[in-house]
Amino acid sequence: MSDIQFVISEQPEEFALAAQLIDGRDDNAHPLDHQVFFDSRAVILAKTLEGEIVGCAAIKAGKGTVDKGTVDKGTVDKGTVGELGYLVVSSHYRRQGIAQGLTQKRIEVAKALGISILYATIRAENTSSQANLLKAGFQFWRDYLSIRGTGNTVGWYYLALSANVDAEAIMLSLVGDRIQAV
């Protein structure tokens, strides 16, 4: 993996190439919402030394607030909460640690952005992504049923990046009225 660089992309043409990589993934369970992707707080690319984009991952725009009635501390600025998403590695480059490198770089970037907690949702059958997050220090929180009505179970994971985070309250605010899987 020493020939792979992990860089923050700020160029629209690189965003477009990364979106193509996501659109072409072999498990395309959910079509990419291009506008949401382009509005991400950070897009990290895995690039070969020649500049070929072989993987990408994003920190989506901050989501959710904690209601004052839920937490004594008041509201949580949504800028302190970041959602991980869109991690894709080209099929020719898998099993080389690139997904783990993309996740580590997103953690570094999140800290630099002042994000206090990262979270991700992973379908139950996506054991590779689950292992990637756990290896990076994420905690499994709970399973919920998909809001898309598919009957799929989705695991929720989080990583507190600062010591004073009330992860339970933040996670409860994020899941909203989803139904917990039994």
Side-chain angles (χ1 to χ4, degrees), residues 26-46:
D26 49 13
D27 71 337
N28 201 0
H30 307 294
L32 175 64
D33 181 331
H34 287 252
Q35 190 58 53
V36 172
F37 178 68
F38 286 110
D39 289 341
S40 294
R41 291 166 80 173
V43 174
I44 311 302
L45 303 177

Side-chain angles (χ1 to χ4, degrees), residues 29-85:
H30 307 294
L32 175 64
D33 181 331
H34 287 252
Q35 190 58 53
V36 172
F37 178 68
F38 286 110
D39 289 341
S40 294
R41 291 166 80 173
V43 174
I44 311 302
L45 303 177
K47 297 169 80 173
T48 65
L49 296 177
E50 296 79 27
E52 178 187 3
I53 297 172
V54 298
C56 67
I59 301 172
K60 296 179 182 182
K63 279 193 161 190
T65 59
V66 176
D67 296 330
K68 288 184 180 180
T70 307
V71 180
D72 295 334
K73 298 174 186 170
T75 61
V76 173
D77 175 8
K78 71 178 181 176
T80 65
V81 178
E83 180 183 6
L84 298 187

